[in-house]
């Protein structure tokens, strides 16, 4: 693991990064609880990828860059500017939900205000859209960079090849990310693809691909910092493979103990990125245990308050059914 100091970020920024990791974890735990008690319909979570997502998102300019996420990217969306309450409004399907006014499934993040582009449940369809957003930036002569993410199973969809090929041909300012958590629902990677590293595929499209350890905050941050700079300098796309864990079942609708052994699940829990980051913060003298406990307490209170506020908001009116779906 690279030292946090090597990221070049200030102490304040690193502590903020930790807050975002904790926010992502505690909010996701709340979303599971709400599903289990029947208050929401579904949850799919990024537990195990929070450190990677925070380090990734921090490398972008959230005032101008575009983000086309996939369903596990809640923590990245928080860093990009969405609030805890915004996320909860989406899960409750409320009218004020910024992602879709309650039209989308939970975890289908979008925010016009923050340049986060809503996506379909058909996996990886955000990839060619991201290529299109980056093509528009190039044609308009702006230096905006586009980020898009998917899972390693979804990366085998045909449109991912089209998206990367065209981005390579036009040297577009787009960064493709594969969050490799070793499973596509219950299918392990050796039944998904035959190449060794997902990131190697980039060479076939004429650009650089790199694989990074998603538990290593500094490594992930520096990889994205460089990719963003290169994209802004018109050097073209990158593919970044983030090695992460999926600490939960695929979604609220399955049970991973049926297809993963007890030992495997235990081993993965020992590699929980939240614990890794806390150890680093302690060892490198950024925060004491008492300070981390205080942050955790504050975040829990924020999640509780946002849950109550979001739940109290009105549902979409039935007569508005056909509104907010297509642009006028
Ligand atoms: C085109 C398409 N096929 C199948 C599905 C059903 N589906 C949803 S998520 C998923 C697994 C995706 O796995 P991966 O890409 O590894 O992402 P992860 O969920 O592990 O982050 C599948 C098969 C879908 N939504 N769209
Ligand atoms: Mg996967």
């Amino acid at each position: 693991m690279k030292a946090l100091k090597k990221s070049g970020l200030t102490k304040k920024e690193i502590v903020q990064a930790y807050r975002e990791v904790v926010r992502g974890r505690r909010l996701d735990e709340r979303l599971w609880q709400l599903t289990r008690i029947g208050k929401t319909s579904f949850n799919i979570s990024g537990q195990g990828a929070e450190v990677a997502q925070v380090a990734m998102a921090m490398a972008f300019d959230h005032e101008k860059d575009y983000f086309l996420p996939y369903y596990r990217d809640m923590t990245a969306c928080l860093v990009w500017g969405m609030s805890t309450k915004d996320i909860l409004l989406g899960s409750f399907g409320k009218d004020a939900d910024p992602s879709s006014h309650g039209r989308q499934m939970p975890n289908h993040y979008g925010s016009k205000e923050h340049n986060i582009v809503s996506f379909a449940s058909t996996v990886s369809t955000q990839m060619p859209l991201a290529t299109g957003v980056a093509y528009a930036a190039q044609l308009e002569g702006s230096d905006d960079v586009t980020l898009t993410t998917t899972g390693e199973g979804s990366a085998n969809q045909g449109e991912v090849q089209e998206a990367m090929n065209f981005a390579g041909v036009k040297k577009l300012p787009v960064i493709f990310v594969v969050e490799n958590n070793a499973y596509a629902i219950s299918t392990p990677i050796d039944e998904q693809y035959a190449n060794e590293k997902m990131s190697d595929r980039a060479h076939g499209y004429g650009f650089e691909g790199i694989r990074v350890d998603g538990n290593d905050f500094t490594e992930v941050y520096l990889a994205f910092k460089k990719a963003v700079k290169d994209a802004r300098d018109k050097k073209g796309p990158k593919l970044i493979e983030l090695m992460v864990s999926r600490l939960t079942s695929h979604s609220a609708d399955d049970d991973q103990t049926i297809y993963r052994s007890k030992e495997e699940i235990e081993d993965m829990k020992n590699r929980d990125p939240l614990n890794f980051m806390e150890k680093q913060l302690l060892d490198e003298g950024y925060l004491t245990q008492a300070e981390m406990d205080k942050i955790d307490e504050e975040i829990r209170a924020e999640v509780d308050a946002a849950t109550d506020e979001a739940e109290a908001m009105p549902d979409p009116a039935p007569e508005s059914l056909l509104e907010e779906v297509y642009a006028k």
Side-chain angles (χ1 to χ4, degrees), residues 9-27:
L9 292 167
T10 63
K11 178 177 176 185
K12 197 170 160 210
E13 288 166 327
I14 286 173
V15 172
Q16 183 57 26
Y18 172 65
R19 284 190 89 88
E20 298 289 4
V21 170
V22 177
R23 182 175 280 122
R25 178 63 58 92
R26 300 296 168 236
L27 178 54

Side-chain angles (χ1 to χ4, degrees), residues 70 72 151-153 179-185 192 246:
Y70 88 124
R72 292 206 195 278
E152 85 293 336
E179 294 184 26
N180 191 338
N181 58 15
Y183 279 87
I185 311 185
Q192 290 179 41
R246 196 192 80 197

Side-chain angles (χ1 to χ4, degrees), residues 44 70-72 121-124 150-155 157 159 179 181-185 192 246 250:
I44 186 162
Y70 88 124
Y71 48 77
R72 292 206 195 278
S121 298
T122 327
V123 296
S124 284
T150 196
E152 85 293 336
S154 310
Q157 288 286 115
E159 59 264 60
E179 294 184 26
N181 58 15
Y183 279 87
I185 311 185
Q192 290 179 41
R246 196 192 80 197
H250 171 74

Side-chain angles (χ1 to χ4, degrees), residues 113-170:
E113 185 191 351
H114 298 294
N115 290 352
I116 299 174
V117 181
S118 185
F119 54 95
S121 298
T122 327
V123 296
S124 284
T125 45
Q126 67 277 16
M127 296 256 139
L129 297 183
T131 296
V133 172
Y135 193 26
Q138 188 184 65
L139 292 174
E140 284 168 359
S142 85
D143 70 348
D144 305 345
V145 177
T146 299
L147 167 69
T148 189
T149 56
T150 196
E152 85 293 336
S154 310
N156 305 309
Q157 288 286 115
E159 59 264 60
V160 178
Q161 126 86 16
E162 296 172 37
M164 292 196 192
N165 182 61
F166 191 73
V169 169
K170 295 283 179 189

